[in-house]
Coordinates of all heavy atoms in Angstrom, one line a residue:
Y1 N 0.8 -1.2 0.0 CA 0.0 0.0 0.0 C 0.9 1.2 0.0 O 0.3 2.3 0.2 CB -1.0 0.0 1.2 CG -2.0 -1.1 1.1 CD1 -1.8 -2.3 1.7 CD2 -3.2 -0.9 0.3 CE1 -2.7 -3.4 1.5 CE2 -4.1 -1.9 0.2 CZ -3.9 -3.2 0.8 OH -4.8 -4.2 0.7
R2 N 2.1 1.2 -0.2 CA 3.0 2.3 -0.2 C 2.7 3.3 -1.5 O 3.2 4.4 -1.5 CB 4.5 1.9 -0.2 CG 4.9 1.3 1.1 CD 6.3 0.8 1.0 NE 6.6 -0.1 2.2 CZ 7.5 -1.0 2.2 NH1 8.3 -1.2 1.1 NH2 7.7 -1.8 3.2
F3 N 2.0 2.7 -2.5 CA 1.7 3.5 -3.7 C 0.2 3.8 -3.7 O -0.2 4.2 -4.8 CB 2.2 2.7 -4.9 CG 3.7 2.4 -4.9 CD1 4.2 1.3 -4.3 CD2 4.5 3.3 -5.5 CE1 5.5 1.0 -4.3 CE2 5.9 3.0 -5.5 CZ 6.4 1.9 -4.9
D4 N -0.5 3.7 -2.6 CA -1.9 3.9 -2.6 C -2.1 5.2 -1.8 O -1.9 5.3 -0.6 CB -2.6 2.7 -1.9 CG -4.1 2.8 -1.9 OD1 -4.6 3.9 -1.9 OD2 -4.7 1.7 -1.8
D5 N -2.6 6.2 -2.5 CA -2.8 7.5 -1.9 C -3.9 7.6 -0.9 O -4.0 8.5 -0.1 CB -3.1 8.6 -3.0 CG -1.9 8.9 -3.9 OD1 -0.8 8.7 -3.4 OD2 -2.1 9.3 -5.0
S6 N -4.7 6.5 -0.8 CA -5.8 6.5 0.2 C -5.2 6.1 1.6 O -5.9 6.2 2.6 CB -6.9 5.6 -0.2 OG -6.5 4.2 -0.2
W7 N -3.9 5.6 1.6 CA -3.3 5.3 2.8 C -2.3 6.4 3.2 O -1.7 7.0 2.3 CB -2.5 4.0 2.7 CG -3.3 2.7 2.7 CD1 -4.4 2.5 1.8 CD2 -3.1 1.6 3.5 NE1 -4.9 1.2 2.2 CE2 -4.1 0.7 3.2 CE3 -2.3 1.2 4.5 CZ2 -4.3 -0.6 3.8 CZ3 -2.4 0.0 5.2 CH2 -3.4 -0.9 4.8
Y8 N -2.1 6.5 4.5 CA -1.0 7.5 5.0 C 0.3 6.7 4.9 O 0.5 5.6 5.4 CB -1.3 7.9 6.5 CG -0.2 8.6 7.2 CD1 0.2 9.9 6.8 CD2 0.5 8.0 8.2 CE1 1.3 10.5 7.4 CE2 1.6 8.5 8.8 CZ 1.9 9.8 8.4 OH 3.0 10.4 9.0
Y9 N 1.2 7.4 4.3 CA 2.6 6.9 4.2 C 3.4 7.3 5.4 O 3.7 8.5 5.5 CB 3.3 7.4 2.9 CG 4.6 6.8 2.6 CD1 4.9 5.6 2.1 CD2 5.7 7.7 2.9 CE1 6.2 5.1 1.9 CE2 7.0 7.2 2.7 CZ 7.3 5.9 2.2 OH 8.5 5.4 2.0
G10 N 3.8 6.4 6.3 CA 4.2 6.7 7.6 C 5.7 6.8 7.8 O 6.2 6.0 8.6
L11 N 6.3 7.8 7.2 CA 7.7 8.2 7.5 C 7.6 9.5 8.3 O 7.7 10.6 7.8 CB 8.5 8.3 6.3 CG 10.0 8.8 6.4 CD1 10.7 8.0 7.5 CD2 10.8 8.6 5.1
P12 N 7.3 9.5 9.7 CA 6.9 10.6 10.4 C 7.8 11.8 10.2 O 7.3 13.0 10.2 CB 6.9 10.1 11.8 CG 6.6 8.6 11.7 CD 7.3 8.2 10.5
E13 N 9.1 11.6 10.2 CA 10.0 12.7 10.1 C 9.8 13.6 8.9 O 10.1 14.8 8.9 CB 11.5 12.3 10.1 CG 11.9 11.7 11.5 CD 11.5 10.3 11.7 OE1 10.9 9.6 10.8 OE2 11.8 9.8 12.8
L14 N 9.2 13.0 7.9 CA 9.0 13.7 6.6 C 7.5 13.9 6.3 O 7.1 14.8 5.5 CB 9.7 13.0 5.4 CG 11.2 12.9 5.5 CD1 11.7 12.2 4.2 CD2 11.9 14.2 5.8
T15 N 6.7 13.0 6.8 CA 5.2 13.1 6.4 C 4.2 13.3 7.6 O 3.0 13.2 7.4 CB 4.8 11.7 5.7 OG1 4.9 10.7 6.7 CG2 5.8 11.4 4.6
R16 N 4.8 13.7 8.7 CA 4.0 13.9 9.9 C 2.8 14.8 9.6 O 1.7 14.6 10.1 CB 4.8 14.4 11.0 CG 4.2 14.4 12.4 CD 5.2 14.9 13.5 NE 6.3 13.9 13.6 CZ 7.5 14.2 13.5 NH1 7.9 15.5 13.1 NH2 8.5 13.3 13.7
E17 N 3.1 15.9 8.9 CA 2.0 16.9 8.7 C 0.9 16.4 7.8 O -0.2 17.0 7.8 CB 2.7 18.1 8.1 CG 3.6 18.9 9.0 CD 4.2 20.1 8.3 OE1 3.9 20.4 7.1 OE2 5.0 20.9 9.0
R18 N 1.1 15.3 7.1 CA 0.0 14.7 6.3 C -0.9 13.8 7.1 O -1.9 13.4 6.6 CB 0.6 13.9 5.2 CG 1.5 14.6 4.2 CD 2.0 13.6 3.1 NE 3.3 14.0 2.6 CZ 4.1 13.2 1.9 NH1 3.7 11.9 1.7 NH2 5.3 13.6 1.5
Y19 N -0.6 13.5 8.4 CA -1.4 12.6 9.1 C -2.6 13.4 9.7 O -2.5 14.4 10.4 CB -0.6 12.0 10.3 CG -1.5 10.9 11.0 CD1 -1.7 9.7 10.3 CD2 -2.0 11.1 12.3 CE1 -2.5 8.8 10.9 CE2 -2.8 10.2 12.8 CZ -3.1 9.0 12.2 OH -3.9 8.0 12.7
A20 N -3.8 12.8 9.4 CA -5.1 13.5 9.8 C -6.0 12.4 10.3 O -7.2 12.5 10.0 CB -5.6 14.2 8.6
G21 N -5.5 11.5 11.1 CA -6.3 10.5 11.7 C -6.6 9.3 10.9 O -7.4 8.5 11.2
Q22 N -5.8 9.1 9.7 CA -6.1 7.9 8.9 C -5.9 6.6 9.8 O -5.0 6.5 10.6 CB -5.1 7.9 7.7 CG -5.3 9.1 6.8 CD -4.4 10.2 7.1 OE1 -4.1 10.6 8.2 NE2 -3.9 10.9 6.0
R23 N -6.7 5.6 9.5 CA -6.6 4.4 10.2 C -5.9 3.3 9.3 O -5.8 2.1 9.7 CB -8.0 3.8 10.5 CG -9.0 4.8 11.2 CD -8.2 5.5 12.4 NE -8.0 4.7 13.5 CZ -7.1 5.1 14.5 NH1 -6.4 6.2 14.4 NH2 -7.0 4.3 15.6
R24 N -5.4 3.7 8.2 CA -4.6 2.8 7.3 C -3.3 3.4 7.1 O -3.2 4.5 6.5 CB -5.3 2.5 6.0 CG -6.8 1.9 6.2 CD -6.7 0.5 6.7 NE -8.1 0.0 6.9 CZ -8.7 0.0 8.0 NH1 -8.1 0.5 9.1 NH2 -9.9 -0.5 8.1
I25 N -2.2 2.8 7.6 CA -0.8 3.4 7.6 C 0.1 2.4 6.9 O 0.2 1.3 7.4 CB -0.3 3.8 9.0 CG1 -1.2 4.8 9.6 CG2 1.1 4.3 8.9 CD1 -0.8 5.3 11.0
S26 N 0.8 2.9 5.9 CA 1.8 2.0 5.2 C 3.1 2.4 5.7 O 3.6 3.5 5.6 CB 1.7 2.3 3.7 OG 2.7 1.5 3.0
N27 N 3.8 1.4 6.3 CA 5.2 1.6 6.8 C 6.2 1.6 5.6 O 6.2 0.7 4.8 CB 5.5 0.4 7.7 CG 6.2 0.8 9.0 OD1 5.7 1.7 9.7 ND2 7.3 0.3 9.3
P28 N 7.0 2.6 5.6 CA 8.0 2.7 4.5 C 9.0 1.5 4.5 O 9.2 0.9 5.5 CB 8.8 4.0 4.7 CG 7.8 4.8 5.6 CD 7.1 3.8 6.4
G29 N 9.6 1.3 3.3 CA 10.6 0.3 3.2 C 11.9 0.7 4.0 O 12.1 1.9 4.3
C30 N 12.7 -0.3 4.3 CA 13.9 0.1 5.1 C 14.9 0.9 4.3 O 15.3 2.0 4.8 CB 14.6 -1.3 5.6 SG 14.9 -2.4 4.2
Y31 N 15.3 0.5 3.1 CA 16.2 1.3 2.3 C 15.5 2.6 2.0 O 16.2 3.7 2.0 CB 16.5 0.6 1.0 CG 17.7 -0.3 1.0 CD1 17.6 -1.6 0.5 CD2 19.0 0.2 1.4 CE1 18.8 -2.4 0.4 CE2 20.1 -0.6 1.3 CZ 20.0 -1.9 0.8 OH 21.1 -2.7 0.8
A32 N 14.2 2.6 1.7 CA 13.5 3.8 1.4 C 13.6 4.8 2.5 O 13.6 6.1 2.3 CB 12.1 3.5 1.0
T33 N 13.5 4.4 3.7 CA 13.6 5.3 4.9 C 15.0 6.0 4.9 O 15.1 7.2 5.0 CB 13.4 4.5 6.2 OG1 12.1 4.1 6.2 CG2 13.7 5.4 7.5
A34 N 16.0 5.2 4.8 CA 17.4 5.8 4.8 C 17.6 6.7 3.7 O 18.3 7.8 3.8 CB 18.4 4.7 4.9
M35 N 17.1 6.3 2.5 CA 17.3 7.2 1.3 C 16.6 8.5 1.4 O 17.2 9.6 1.1 CB 16.9 6.4 0.1 CG 17.9 5.4 -0.4 SD 17.6 4.8 -2.1 CE 16.3 3.6 -1.7
Q36 N 15.4 8.5 1.8 CA 14.6 9.7 1.9 C 15.2 10.7 2.9 O 15.2 11.9 2.7 CB 13.1 9.4 2.2 CG 12.4 8.8 1.0 CD 11.0 8.4 1.4 OE1 10.1 9.2 1.4 NE2 10.7 7.1 1.7
L37 N 15.6 10.1 4.1 CA 16.1 11.0 5.1 C 17.4 11.6 4.7 O 17.7 12.8 5.1 CB 16.2 10.2 6.4 CG 14.9 9.8 7.1 CD1 15.1 8.9 8.3 CD2 14.1 11.0 7.5
V38 N 18.2 11.0 3.9 CA 19.5 11.5 3.5 C 19.4 12.5 2.4 O 20.2 13.4 2.2 CB 20.5 10.4 3.2 CG1 20.3 9.8 1.8 CG2 22.0 10.9 3.4
V39 N 18.3 12.4 1.6 CA 18.1 13.2 0.4 C 17.3 14.5 0.8 O 17.6 15.6 0.3 CB 17.5 12.4 -0.8 CG1 17.1 13.4 -1.9 CG2 18.4 11.4 -1.3
A40 N 16.3 14.3 1.6 CA 15.3 15.4 1.8 C 15.8 16.7 2.2 O 15.3 17.8 1.6 CB 14.3 14.9 2.9
P41 N 16.8 16.9 3.0 CA 17.3 18.3 3.3 C 17.8 19.1 2.1 O 17.9 20.3 2.1 CB 18.4 18.1 4.4 CG 18.0 16.8 5.0 CD 17.5 15.9 3.9
M42 N 18.2 18.4 1.1 CA 18.8 19.0 -0.1 C 17.8 19.0 -1.3 O 18.2 19.4 -2.4 CB 20.1 18.4 -0.5 CG 21.2 18.3 0.6 SD 21.6 19.9 1.1 CE 22.4 20.6 -0.3
L43 N 16.6 18.6 -1.1 CA 15.7 18.4 -2.2 C 15.5 19.6 -3.1 O 15.5 19.4 -4.3 CB 14.4 17.9 -1.6 CG 13.3 17.3 -2.6 CD1 13.9 16.1 -3.4 CD2 12.1 16.9 -1.9
D44 N 15.4 20.7 -2.5 CA 15.1 21.9 -3.4 C 16.3 22.4 -4.1 O 16.3 23.3 -4.9 CB 14.6 23.0 -2.5 CG 15.6 23.6 -1.5 OD1 16.5 22.8 -1.1 OD2 15.4 24.7 -1.0
A45 N 17.5 21.8 -3.8 CA 18.7 22.2 -4.5 C 19.3 21.2 -5.5 O 20.4 21.4 -6.1 CB 19.8 22.5 -3.4
L46 N 18.5 20.1 -5.8 CA 19.0 19.0 -6.5 C 19.0 19.4 -8.0 O 18.1 20.0 -8.6 CB 18.3 17.8 -6.3 CG 18.3 17.2 -4.9 CD1 17.4 16.0 -4.8 CD2 19.8 16.8 -4.6
E47 N 20.0 18.8 -8.7 CA 20.1 18.9 -10.2 C 20.2 17.5 -10.7 O 21.2 16.9 -10.6 CB 21.3 19.8 -10.6 CG 21.5 19.9 -12.1 CD 20.6 21.0 -12.7 OE1 19.8 21.6 -12.1 OE2 20.9 21.3 -13.9

């Protein structure tokens, strides 16, 4: 369900503001967690 927009994608450090009481939460992948956290701070500067 990580690609299902009706589920909350639960990487709290990056998606916490999207949580609005959803009762269906998709836990991110292990590699996907490490990758997103290492890329996110530079996202607006990427080429």
